[in-house]
Amino acid sequence: MSDLTLDAVDRSGAIAEAFDELTGGTRADFFRKAVIGGAALTAALETPAAAQPRNTAKDVAILQFDLGLEYLQAAMYSEAERLGEVSPKTLEWSRVVGANERGHVEAIRGLLGRDAVKSPSFNFRGVTEDDRVFTETAVAFEDLTAALLKTQAVQVDSRRVLTALASLHSVEARHAAWIRHIAGIVPAADAFDQPTSKARVVKLVDSTNFVTSAPRTRGRRQPGYTG
Amino acid sequence: MRHTRRTGLGAAFALAGLLIVAAVAVVIAGASSGPSAAEPVLPASPRSALAPENVPLGPRPAAYWAPVLAATAAHQEPAGQAVVADVPARTPEGTTNIVLVLGEAERRAGELWVRARVPGEPDDVRGWMPRSALGGYTPVHARLVIDRKRLTATLWRNGRRVFRAVVGIGAPATPTPSGHFYVRNQLHRYRRPFYGPVAFGTSARSAEASDWPAGGFVGIHGTDRPDLIPGRVSAGCIRMTNRDILRLARLMPVGTPVRVE
């Protein structure tokens, strides 16, 4: 069984394309989008789901990529909770963070509708069975997701998606700070956080080999069972 | 002239005092009677398009299975010498071999070992395997119970019975082994009516048929002889009508634990 990169999730290449465009944004674009307030924004955000406009191709690609990361995080916390091999203290925060991450998966799937991609297969290679490694991996992914969401906020087309990403971002940052504190790492060492690129996210996720191909358990060969 | 200036200054102070009193009165009146139309109104906070809801984990799975990435051995102890069973990476049918993970892990000399149920005989073969030899874990929420006395197969999911059918089992000379096993593959679209349209391979191995070319593993499959069901008619396999096996194929995933009692 060969391992795949996170790119395996990006079937059409739309995610990669959109992220290539991410570097073209400017601070002015961000502030133009972010500072808009008032009744127009409120009305746009409160439009019933059925009447909401379709997401743009770029927003779909961004949300699909986020969904891939949320699938990964939700699967990791869920597996740790189910196996129960980490310490009770770790299980305590993992349950809370896992419930948040599963909520993120459901919410982004809801935003994407028919454009939601399926979850890939994961192999956490013992991380969910080792207290120290699990905690360190959790910190790395929470930091990474918060940094990625900062980059995406600059580029999304829709105010609705921008607000969604902002509400995701603050929770991921809280996760990062909480788990950092538990792991004995300073929660907020620097005055400012830096955004991160899609290329770095893909590289880091790829280096974990967590995303794998599904094992082949169905076949067409003649059965050789006892009969 | 001096007198006039002093008088004018006094009037100015008096006017300023009146204006202050009037302004305070307006503020107090405004505070007590609510905002006037001329005051600026702040926009309502935007609501996130994401529903702020946590998602609980859901029912506890019946089991977890993991693919075998490389041929390895299951050991009596973590990192021990005694081997319980050899575990190939492929089944005799060419699919990826799998094991059931039992939820126990130990680190020995820097390597993580996990306890797993592995294919073989007799009943319930368990051993310790290096975690690195296994792929990702998949939870399974179903379990199958084969009742050799009543000749039935019953599938349970999250504590609810979702399937029941009468079955054919091993003849007295070639009995279906009892114990704890699991489904490790699903075959379909082969050209062998004897096995019906779908066949599941299990980790159970018949002691009487272990020298078979394919290892003597017990299957759960359809049949071209529905007239023999229910009964004790097979060489160890569990047979059911083609209608029932097709129904089961929609409900039972690979990795499902099987208890034969």
Side-chain angles (χ1 to χ4, degrees):
Chain A
M1 187 171 61
S2 62
D3 290 326
L4 300 178
T5 68
L6 197 67
D7 285 336
V9 185
D10 183 11
R11 293 175 196 146
S12 61
I15 301 173
E17 250 177 58
F19 272 90
D20 288 340
E21 288 175 25
L22 287 181
T23 50
T26 64
R27 282 177 65 84
D29 288 337
F30 172 74
F31 285 111
R32 182 172 50 78
K33 287 171 182 167
V35 174
I36 291 170
L41 176 56
T42 308
L45 292 168
E46 292 183 351
T47 306
Q52 280 168 355
R54 284 180 59 85
N55 296 314
T56 65
K58 195 201 290 179
D59 286 359
V60 166
I62 287 171
L63 288 170
Q64 284 177 336
F65 192 82
D66 289 347
L67 183 58
L69 264 187
E70 295 292 350
Y71 274 138
L72 190 153
Q73 292 185 97
M76 188 178 79
Y77 293 116
S78 299
E79 187 171 295
E81 188 178 339
R82 281 173 171 149
L83 292 174
E85 288 290 316
V86 293
S87 70
K89 187 186 164 193
T90 299
L91 267 182
E92 201 177 311
W93 61 258
S94 176
R95 278 197 191 101
V96 177
V97 176
N100 291 166
E101 301 294 2
R102 289 188 293 272
H104 293 175
V105 166
E106 291 304 310
I108 297 175
R109 285 183 62 86
L111 271 179
L112 279 165
R114 282 189 212 165
D115 294 319
V117 290
K118 286 183 181 174
S119 176
S121 296
F122 298 110
N123 177 8
F124 294 109
R125 300 169 190 274
V127 163
T128 52
E129 293 149 285
D130 185 301
D131 209 72
R132 183 184 58 81
V133 180
F134 175 69
T135 305
E136 287 173 0
T137 307
V139 169
F141 273 107
E142 299 296 346
D143 277 347
L144 190 67
T145 310
L148 174 70
L149 289 167
K150 269 188 278 293
T151 302
Q152 294 175 334
V154 181
Q155 290 298 319
V156 287
D157 290 327
S158 149
R159 297 162 193 164
R160 177 170 153 262
V161 174
L162 175 65
T163 312
L165 294 189
S167 55
L168 272 177
H169 175 266
S170 56
V171 174
E172 299 290 358
R174 287 180 208 196
H175 290 167
W178 187 18
I179 309 169
R180 274 169 162 261
H181 176 69
I182 288 165
I185 307 167
V186 178
D190 301 315
F192 298 97
D193 283 338
Q194 295 301 316
T196 196
S197 67
K198 177 238 183 179
R200 183 160 175 271
V201 173
V202 169
K203 190 178 172 186
L204 284 171
V205 173
D206 191 26
S207 71
T208 64
N209 287 322
F210 285 168
V211 183
T212 69
S213 56
R216 200 173 71 82
T217 55
R218 291 164 66 97
R220 294 183 181 184
R221 199 177 285 187
Q222 299 283 4
Y225 313 134
T226 55
Chain B
M1 181 76 180
R2 267 180 90 178
H3 174 76
T4 309
R5 278 185 68 183
R6 204 177 287 154
T7 306
L9 208 60
F13 277 125
L15 183 62
L18 277 172
L19 283 173
I20 289 167
V21 169
V24 169
V26 165
V27 168
I28 291 170
S32 61
S33 64
S36 69
E39 288 177 36
V41 178
L42 292 174
S45 298
R47 288 183 194 169
S48 171
L50 303 180
E53 288 178 6
N54 293 332
V55 174
L57 193 55
R60 190 178 177 80
Y64 299 89
W65 63 268
V68 179
L69 299 181
T72 187
H75 297 255
Q76 191 121 32
E77 300 288 335
Q81 294 296 315
V83 170
V84 173
D86 288 319
V87 187
R90 297 270 166 204
T91 66
E93 296 77 39
T95 57
T96 302
N97 198 10
I98 69 169
V99 297
L100 275 201
V101 179
L102 298 173
E104 292 173 68
E106 276 193 40
R107 194 170 281 282
R108 293 277 173 92
E111 182 163 28
L112 191 67
W113 291 74
V114 294
R115 199 155 183 239
R117 180 171 289 153
V118 300
E121 50 135 343
D123 168 32
D124 201 7
V125 185
R126 296 173 181 215
W128 291 86
M129 303 174 73
R131 177 65 183 87
S132 57
L134 303 178
Y137 297 167
T138 302
V140 183
H141 292 270
R143 61 186 179 88
L144 185 72
V145 178
I146 306 296
D147 187 332
R148 295 187 302 176
K149 192 175 173 188
R150 292 180 180 158
L151 299 176
T152 57
T154 308
L155 187 75
W156 299 83
R157 181 182 291 152
N158 295 330
R160 285 183 56 208
R161 194 177 79 184
V162 293
F163 172 91
R164 188 164 211 178
V166 290
V167 295
I169 61 167
T174 53
T176 302
S178 65
H180 293 83
F181 310 103
Y182 57 91
V183 174
R184 62 174 182 165
N185 59 20
Q186 189 195 113
L187 306 180
H188 59 117
R189 293 189 187 178
Y190 44 78
R191 292 177 185 169
R192 190 111 184 251
F194 176 81
Y195 288 102
V198 175
F200 290 98
T202 77
S203 63
R205 202 171 186 188
S206 168
E208 285 71 28
S210 57
D211 56 346
W212 279 37
F217 284 98
V218 171
I220 302 168
H221 54 80
T223 182
D224 58 354
R225 292 292 307 274
D227 54 304
L228 299 179
I229 294 171
R232 292 175 174 79
V233 293
S234 77
C237 280
I238 296 145
R239 301 180 191 174
M240 58 183 74
T241 64
N242 290 348
R243 186 169 167 271
D244 284 336
I245 196 71
L246 286 171
R247 202 155 55 93
L248 186 62
R250 286 195 294 272
L251 298 168
M252 185 169 76
V254 166
T256 298
V258 179
R259 192 176 83 226
V260 181
E261 55 187 31

